[in-house]
Amino acid sequence: DVNRADIVGVIDAMKAAESEQTGRPYAPRTILHCYNTIRLLFDDALIADAIAATPCTLKTKRGELPTKRDADPRWRSRAIYTRDEAETLISSEAIPHDRRVYYALQLLAGLRSGETAARRWSDLDTDATPLGRMLVWNQIVDGKERATKTGDVREVPIHPTLAAMLAEWKLVGFSLYFGRHPRPDDLIIQCRRGPTLPRTDTMPAHLKDDLARPDFRPYGRPR
């Protein structure tokens, strides 16, 4: 029973509404994320022959969808870590050992969150020269393992600092958490309930807590 006019109405309502979280109008990027979620739902329904046609045919060029941009165009250029902040995230003993290694994989290897969560010890090649390397070929999204966006295998060089942290985590930290040395098929960073369970759902909240430390600036604001 959902038609195109209903979808237009949803988008128009979001354009006119304010976010309960920020008290400001929804960012165009947020509206587009919501629309794309609805569009994928109806695409699946079309494939399953549950509907005859999808109502999600809105276009940006017709003004039905907003142009992708941030609510505050200045935000993205400021939302970066300083060198001191990055060093604190990977070295402060106030932050648990496993989280420091998780942050190092992101900051020093440039891994996305899902890619970080999916890395296993078997992906790490410490004998590669001149630096060690890590193979990045999959990610974990919504608790499920899947290919990366491109489907290609990336060979990521291992920064010497990251190499030292991974070696310490493998020899000492992992066994303290799980009572044994890691096996090749174990996730490098995993849920504390078990070394085969991915660590994804709780990390954004942990990062928010760690960034609330007094030696960090408020998120997204210059010093």
Side-chain angles (χ1 to χ4, degrees):
D1 295 334
V2 177
N3 58 38
R4 191 176 188 281
D6 295 322
I7 305 299
V8 172
V10 170
I11 300 304
D12 286 346
M14 287 197 71
K15 290 178 180 178
E18 293 182 347
S19 167
E20 294 183 3
Q21 187 176 24
T22 66
R24 299 191 298 270
Y26 286 107
R29 192 179 302 270
T30 300
I31 296 174
L32 290 171
H33 282 323
C34 293
Y35 173 75
N36 285 328
T37 299
I38 299 171
R39 179 181 59 79
L40 290 173
L41 183 151
F42 279 102
D43 284 349
D44 287 345
L46 186 63
I47 293 171
D49 290 330
I51 56 176
T54 175
C56 296
T57 58
L58 280 61
K59 300 291 183 182
T60 300
K61 63 182 180 181
R62 290 198 291 257
E64 297 164 325
L65 293 173
T67 302
K68 184 184 293 186
R69 64 180 185 273
D70 296 313
D72 180 358
R74 301 168 298 174
W75 167 84
R76 196 168 295 274
S77 64
R78 298 195 303 254
I80 58 176
Y81 297 113
T82 65
R83 181 187 177 94
D84 288 344
E85 289 171 338
E87 186 174 346
T88 299
L89 277 174
I90 68 175
S91 65
S92 173
E93 293 188 358
I95 297 175
H97 195 174
D98 57 342
R99 282 169 21 200
R100 298 201 303 268
V101 178
Y102 185 97
Y103 299 147
L105 285 167
Q106 294 185 309
L107 291 167
L108 298 178
L111 302 187
R112 299 180 177 89
S113 296
E115 295 171 341
T116 303
R119 299 283 54 81
R120 300 183 187 273
W121 292 105
S122 57
D123 296 324
L124 181 63
D125 180 5
T126 58
D127 295 327
T129 56
L131 298 172
R133 66 176 180 174
M134 178 171 288
L135 299 181
V136 179
W137 54 277
N138 64 342
Q139 60 183 331
I140 292 177
V141 180
D142 296 331
K144 297 180 180 179
E145 190 172 318
R146 61 183 65 175
T148 57
K149 290 183 178 180
T150 64
D152 298 329
V153 178
R154 298 205 317 275
E155 296 185 7
V156 179
I158 301 300
H159 188 284
T161 299
L162 177 58
M165 293 183 66
L166 288 170
E168 181 185 13
W169 173 244
K170 185 176 183 180
L171 292 174
V172 181
F174 191 100
S175 60
L176 289 177
Y177 276 75
F178 300 106
R180 63 170 175 80
H181 292 296
R183 304 185 183 105
D185 61 339
D186 285 331
L187 295 166
I188 295 176
I189 304 298
Q190 61 290 300
C191 179
R192 296 179 186 178
R193 297 193 303 273
T196 60
L197 301 174
R199 184 80 178 273
T200 52
D201 296 341
T202 60
M203 286 307 298
H206 289 319
L207 177 60
K208 185 177 180 180
D209 290 341
D210 292 332
L211 292 178
R213 293 165 46 82
D215 40 358
F216 283 98
R217 60 193 161 140
Y219 179 66
R221 298 180 186 175
R223 288 191 183 281

